[in-house]
Amino acid sequence: MDKNKKFIWEMFQNTGSIDGSLSENIAKSWIHSREAGVNPNKICLEKNMVRDGQLKNSLHKNKKIIQIVKPVMKELCEQFEEYKLTVTLLDTDLCVLVVQKSHDELLCNTLKISNRPGFCYSEEKIGTTAISMCAKTGKVETISGYEHYCREYHDVFCVAVPIYDENNNICSILGGTGILKNKVSNLDTILAISSKMITNNIKMQNVERELDTKSNLYGIIFDTISDGMLTVNMEGIITSVNPAGMQILGIDKSCIGKHITESVDFEPTILEVIKNRKGYIDREFRLEGKNGMIHFVKTAIPMKDERGNMIGCLDVFRSITQVKSMVNKLTGAQAKYTISNIIGKCNSIQNTKKMIKIAGRNDSTVLIQGESGTGKEIIAQAIHNHGIRKNGPFIAINCSAIPRDLIESELFGYEKGSFTGALKGGRPGKFEMAHGGTLFFDEIGDMPLDMQSKLLRVLQQKSLVRIGGFKEMAIDVRIIAATNKNLDEMIKEKSFREDLYYRINVINIVSPPLREREGDIDLLIDYMLRRHNLINGTHKVISDKAREILDKWEWPGNVRELENAVEYAYCMAEDKEILPEHLPNRIFNAMTKGQNNKSFNMPLYNNGVITIKQAEIIAIKHALNHVNGNMTKASKMLGIGRTTLYEKIHKIGLIEYSNE
């Protein structure tokens, strides 16, 4: 789910406020849906079904259109069978006339309810959909997930295209719907082509219907679509190609009328489709062309006449760069946080913000060090958004969360057949997906030693080879790493490579622990509480006593723990004011029991026991205070080396002693 769009939808439903990032057309549709009284939480089947007599009349009125469109709908479902696609034909009143389904038993309840003859998709009944938007704009429309007005469509995507009659008036709507997780990347392109073909059939019902006649009429759509398109007949002769296709393949219009092998210097995959009469969807190809390697994703659709005989093939392709950009947007692989999202005014946070700006202006590798929960990924995203790569992808990989035997394939990708369970067409790795952007290695201290050496080689050579492959690919990626471990100690223990450490630690940024951020806790509490109030339309406030307890807590879990505590207290407070008893039990009880232990100034756990980390902080503070900050005497008193004491002071953020 896109968390940002979910927040925008919930904010509108709760407050009626429209986020500025929402498109103008969708915003207007949401407002109109609300004014029409559409229930955003429940679709009522009975209220949205037209009368039997009305459906019967519409079926009779659109009989000719249905005869033309039905074979196209069937072909679309067959070609997109693995994506569980449902195709619908609707009249101008947005009443469903015909439904074609790939897998009826696998459809979600929402699609089973709404994709049936007689169901009405008008905006006044079920709110914003691609179908209702298409009827308004007369253009191809795509609505996904939380862009829908009704909650029941939030797991669904929908693409709709208009079909025109001989007078260039919209006579029906063709829609394709499916589960959001199975979303087809180029369905809008395929449906647009289908719409043109259907419209042409309507206009030319009594005229020649061969492919070459239709292909000549596709010029307008060919010239405006960003995907590359090329058609060939059964002899492999090119019958049409659009400008995007010519640019990707490095050819010109003179290729039309020639065999495809005369225009490209690699074995055309489309000839295999002509031979075996089977198309494919979103298959990756990397072929050596005139201008180097051509890397793209292709869809091949066999074209048939009205009798079902194959008469040629449509080849739709786009550059891998376009595909990766689209995938990154759909999967949320973009940095959403900036410096403005880092809340705090203390000296350590101001210094962190300064370092973020410095790192953003450069393209060097960055190492972010700090305890868990201090917001290291937010810092990484802010660096990305402050630099020249801000329009590129931001890919994050947690080195501690990926199984050891999968981390190499996750990073470098693999070719088809590389190992048992590999995807048919292979899979790009995180480095490829991050090309032109930033790759963030979270918890890099947990990366296995053997992978550290492979990562170092890729960083040095700026190229990689997929698992099971042999072609070397250049990569352009900015590296940011983060860890909560002491890499210096790990190097001494031979559990982290020293050469990799120096490779990633060009710019070093420390993410300070919350207990050392004087004055920032109140700012963070207010910020978090405002956010919960905005989302839920409430006006809760925190009492002085509750705030005092939160101020005194040492926050071993840092900002993440504070966020959890504020959300818990918000939920527990049934009235407007958040009181001490609404705080998490571990904090409320520990602070109450800790009144007799004020000299430690630390929260207690489990019957008065403190953590080892807290005991170490207490010991260091007391030793330094006892010897008036003398590092040599303090290290002897603690039984550790002077260098080790410096490292520990730096790690826990004792600024007053770190610059002795």
Side-chain angles (χ1 to χ4, degrees), residues 292-361:
M293 186 179 70
I294 300 175
H295 194 184
F296 48 75
V297 171
K298 297 179 60 179
T299 293
I301 306 294
M303 296 189 292
K304 301 176 182 180
D305 61 18
E306 58 185 0
R307 294 181 295 276
N309 298 319
M310 184 172 174
I311 54 178
C313 183
L314 168 67
D315 196 19
V316 182
F317 46 95
R318 63 179 64 180
S319 70
I320 200 69
T321 302
Q322 289 177 290
V323 176
K324 289 175 182 175
S325 175
M326 178 190 62
V327 171
N328 288 335
K329 289 179 180 179
L330 291 175
T331 57
Q334 292 180 304
K336 60 181 179 180
Y337 295 111
T338 64
I339 294 179
S340 63
N341 296 113
I342 300 176
I343 309 301
K345 294 182 178 179
C346 68
N347 290 336
S348 56
I349 283 296
Q350 293 304 318
N351 183 61
T352 298
K353 291 181 179 181
K354 178 182 177 181
M355 291 301 296
I356 289 172
K357 293 178 181 179
I358 292 173
R361 292 195 296 266

Side-chain angles (χ1 to χ4, degrees), residues 485-629:
K485 296 186 175 181
N486 188 324
L487 296 186
D488 289 324
E489 290 185 1
M490 292 182 68
I491 291 172
K492 294 175 184 177
E493 297 167 358
K494 306 297 183 183
S495 58
F496 198 86
R497 291 182 62 101
E498 186 174 13
D499 45 6
L500 178 59
Y501 174 75
Y502 292 121
R503 173 65 66 175
I504 62 175
N505 191 22
V506 176
I507 298 176
N508 186 279
I509 298 178
V510 175
S511 183
L514 184 56
R515 61 182 172 274
E516 301 295 338
R517 294 172 54 180
E518 185 177 354
D520 282 356
I521 293 178
D522 283 336
L523 291 175
L524 288 165
I525 292 171
D526 293 338
Y527 171 78
M528 294 169 183
L529 194 55
R530 277 199 307 271
R531 186 177 60 190
H532 289 298
N533 280 328
L534 178 62
I535 293 173
N536 298 289
T538 57
H539 299 86
K540 293 185 181 182
V541 296
I542 187 166
S543 68
D544 292 340
K545 287 288 186 181
R547 187 185 291 273
E548 182 181 356
I549 291 175
L550 294 178
D551 280 338
K552 291 182 178 180
W553 185 252
E554 286 288 328
W555 301 110
N558 293 295
V559 178
R560 187 182 294 125
E561 184 187 5
L562 175 61
E563 193 168 18
N564 173 277
V566 171
E567 183 173 0
Y568 177 87
Y570 174 88
C571 295
M572 291 298 103
E574 296 181 359
D575 296 325
K576 181 179 179 181
E577 189 174 28
I578 296 174
L579 302 174
E581 54 264 34
H582 296 139
L583 299 175
N585 291 335
R586 70 182 186 279
I587 297 177
F588 180 70
N589 293 338
M591 292 300 292
T592 302
K593 293 177 181 178
Q595 295 302 313
N596 296 324
N597 297 276
K598 294 179 180 178
S599 61
F600 286 102
N601 195 27
M602 283 281 178
L604 303 180
Y605 292 86
N606 300 328
N607 299 319
V609 177
I610 63 175
T611 66
I612 293 175
K613 181 184 289 186
Q614 290 175 317
E616 182 179 71
I617 295 171
I618 293 171
I620 292 174
K621 284 184 175 180
H622 284 192
L624 288 168
N625 289 333
H626 185 72
V627 297
N628 295 319

Side-chain angles (χ1 to χ4, degrees), residues 394-438:
F394 178 90
I395 306 291
I397 182 168
N398 191 316
C399 300
S400 65
I402 301 177
R404 183 187 184 96
D405 55 344
L406 293 181
I407 190 168
E408 185 173 3
S409 62
E410 280 290 316
L411 285 178
F412 308 136
Y414 56 81
E415 298 290 359
K416 61 181 180 179
S418 299
F419 50 84
T420 303
L423 295 178
K424 270 186 179 181
R427 181 181 175 183
K430 300 295 187 184
F431 268 101
E432 287 183 67
M433 298 303 294
H435 187 78
T438 300

Side-chain angles (χ1 to χ4, degrees), residues 55 90 113 152 199 270 364 388 492 505 530 591 602 625 638:
L55 175 61
L90 306 93
I113 289 173
E152 295 192 40
T199 298
I270 199 171
S364 302
I388 59 174
K492 294 175 184 177
N505 191 22
R530 277 199 307 271
M591 292 300 292
M602 283 281 178
N625 289 333
L638 293 167

Side-chain angles (χ1 to χ4, degrees), residues 354-498:
K354 178 182 177 181
M355 291 301 296
I356 289 172
K357 293 178 181 179
I358 292 173
R361 292 195 296 266
N362 298 278
D363 209 35
S364 302
T365 55
V366 179
L367 177 62
I368 305 169
Q369 293 178 286
E371 298 176 13
S372 294
T374 55
K376 294 186 289 295
E377 181 166 354
I378 294 177
I379 293 175
Q381 291 193 22
I383 293 170
H384 172 86
N385 279 328
H386 199 74
I388 59 174
R389 295 175 180 267
K390 62 183 179 181
N391 294 322
F394 178 90
I395 306 291
I397 182 168
N398 191 316
C399 300
S400 65
I402 301 177
R404 183 187 184 96
D405 55 344
L406 293 181
I407 190 168
E408 185 173 3
S409 62
E410 280 290 316
L411 285 178
F412 308 136
Y414 56 81
E415 298 290 359
K416 61 181 180 179
S418 299
F419 50 84
T420 303
L423 295 178
K424 270 186 179 181
R427 181 181 175 183
K430 300 295 187 184
F431 268 101
E432 287 183 67
M433 298 303 294
H435 187 78
T438 300
L439 184 55
F440 174 55
F441 287 92
D442 199 8
E443 306 299 348
I444 196 169
D446 292 319
M447 179 176 284
L449 264 176
D450 58 332
M451 276 306 304
Q452 292 179 28
S453 61
K454 294 176 181 179
L455 172 62
L456 178 63
R457 185 167 61 252
V458 171
L459 297 183
Q460 289 173 335
Q461 297 178 350
K462 298 187 183 299
S463 64
L464 60 83
V465 178
R466 285 186 181 180
I467 297 174
F470 59 89
K471 292 183 178 179
E472 192 167 351
M473 290 181 285
I475 55 169
D476 174 25
V477 175
R478 199 260 176 93
I479 300 296
I480 300 178
T483 184
N484 62 0
K485 296 186 175 181
N486 188 324
L487 296 186
D488 289 324
E489 290 185 1
M490 292 182 68
I491 291 172
K492 294 175 184 177
E493 297 167 358
K494 306 297 183 183
S495 58
F496 198 86
R497 291 182 62 101
E498 186 174 13

